[in-house]
Amino acid sequence: MKALRGQIEGYDKARVGIIFDHEELRSGMTVKGHVQINLQAPLPVHYVKIRFHGLAQTHTAVHSTDYSHGLGYNNDDGDKEVYLNEPITLFEAEDDRILEAGNHTYPFEVNFPENMPSSFSEHNGMGHVIYHCHVEIGRRYAYSPDISKTKWFDVHRPLSLKTIPDALVPLDVRKECTARSCCCNRGSVDVHLTLPKSGFLPGERIKYNVSLKNNTTSVLKDMTITVRRVVAYTGHYKGFKRSLSETKAFTVTERVLRLGVNEEETYDGSSLGQVPALPPTGLPGCKIIDINYFVKVAITFGLCGSVELDDCKIWIGTEE
């Protein structure tokens, strides 16, 4: 997570910094901090204001010239949810007041709603949940603020795995998976995947146990276990509801098999790395972006043969 104690930006007449008193911002908390203004010379000021803003937005239209991810980039498609829109006046005079050169500090306090979702942004044009605050400093009759500063920040909404009963039980999936090679069936592989639990936290290692029985006519070569994140974006396009999805995979382990025809073997171990910093399952509080996680077992054989077990749902939380 990026540090919230941001750098102070430079201006011709002033330097402005937005500083939070907290290392992490969460939904439902009272956020305190201050705006720090350092003037290089006296400056006439009528007001100092700050606005906190947070929203989710999706884009679900097909772009006429770019189909790279099936989306349009206009404001007429998709949907939007606003979670935070809080203006605060930090200083206001009846007329312009001369602020002397030096440091000026204006404290602020704002209550974040309980239902704010966690920040989420993949920079793919499909959708995001973003938060920022914006400071404006201006004179009484000026057309626009003389000085402005925007600070982007992350919000975290806790999701306890204890509130999800299915996340506390072991994952146990057994399935006869069809083996395909060059669009033809080549028999099957019995796959039995077990995990000690179905819910995980960022930073954990995933322990696994996979039993295989090779019912194909080829030697099974390699096995890869991944966690798939499936994000569904919901919006509207030309008056119709429309959903798009995006999948991203995170590797748990890669194993060399060399499992012969009609042979059986069990493979166990733990993930190569830790569960990355992933947003919680469902993205609670957001109705237009939904996130789900699945464990996928992929096995290769021959030149282009493959076997896949990919319907094993797991949950990602933020705390036990």
Side-chain angles (χ1 to χ4, degrees), residues 1 21 27 60 94 104 155 165 226 253 259 275:
M1 184 191 68
D21 293 345
S27 60
T60 52
E94 292 185 3
H104 302 267
V155 171
T226 57
T253 189
L259 187 63
V275 176

Side-chain angles (χ1 to χ4, degrees), residues 4-210:
L4 294 175
R5 302 180 183 275
Q7 298 292 321
I8 296 178
E9 288 188 357
Y11 295 86
D12 290 339
K13 295 183 179 180
R15 292 184 176 183
V16 180
I18 305 170
I19 300 155
F20 293 105
D21 293 345
H22 320 274
E23 294 297 333
E24 182 179 83
L25 304 183
R26 293 192 171 202
S27 60
M29 76 182 295
T30 299
V31 176
K32 297 180 180 181
H34 63 275
V35 174
Q36 180 179 321
I37 304 173
N38 177 266
L39 298 180
Q40 308 300 316
L43 183 72
V45 173
H46 174 55
Y47 63 83
V48 179
K49 299 179 180 180
I50 186 171
R51 177 183 293 272
F52 290 83
H53 196 246
L55 59 82
Q57 192 165 16
T58 60
H59 296 280
T60 52
V62 176
H63 197 279
S64 59
T65 59
D66 180 10
Y67 294 92
S68 58
H69 33 62
L71 296 174
Y73 297 93
N74 59 74
N75 295 322
D76 298 326
D77 67 273
D79 265 330
K80 181 169 69 173
E81 294 180 340
V82 176
Y83 310 113
L84 184 64
N85 187 19
E86 189 72 29
I88 303 174
T89 299
L90 304 177
F91 167 81
E92 189 171 33
E94 292 185 3
D95 209 337
D96 290 347
R97 178 182 296 180
I98 301 297
L99 296 185
E100 299 299 329
N103 292 319
H104 302 267
T105 300
Y106 301 93
F108 60 77
E109 180 176 313
V110 60
N111 294 318
F112 281 4
E114 292 281 353
N115 63 344
M116 287 169 50
S118 296
S119 300
F120 176 74
S121 180
E122 284 296 293
H123 306 289
N124 57 12
M126 292 185 180
H128 51 238
V129 179
I130 53 176
Y131 298 92
H132 74 274
C133 53
H134 184 72
V135 170
E136 293 184 346
I137 304 169
R139 292 165 294 169
R140 183 175 182 83
Y141 297 109
Y143 179 74
S144 61
D146 294 305
I147 302 168
S148 62
K149 163 78 179 285
T150 298
K151 181 179 182 69
W152 301 89
F153 57 86
D154 290 334
V155 171
H156 299 270
R157 175 168 175 166
L159 176 63
S160 173
L161 294 176
K162 293 180 181 179
T163 63
I164 308 173
D166 289 342
L168 305 178
V169 300
L171 177 71
D172 192 324
V173 179
R174 187 191 301 268
K175 186 176 180 180
E176 181 180 1
C177 302
T178 301
R180 302 184 183 277
S181 178
C182 300
C183 302
C184 299
N185 292 344
R186 300 295 182 181
S188 64
V189 176
D190 293 334
V191 182
H192 184 197
L193 170 66
T194 59
L195 304 178
K197 57 181 181 177
S198 300
F200 300 91
L201 302 176
E204 279 194 272
R205 293 184 182 272
I206 299 177
K207 296 181 179 180
Y208 64 88
N209 184 290
V210 181

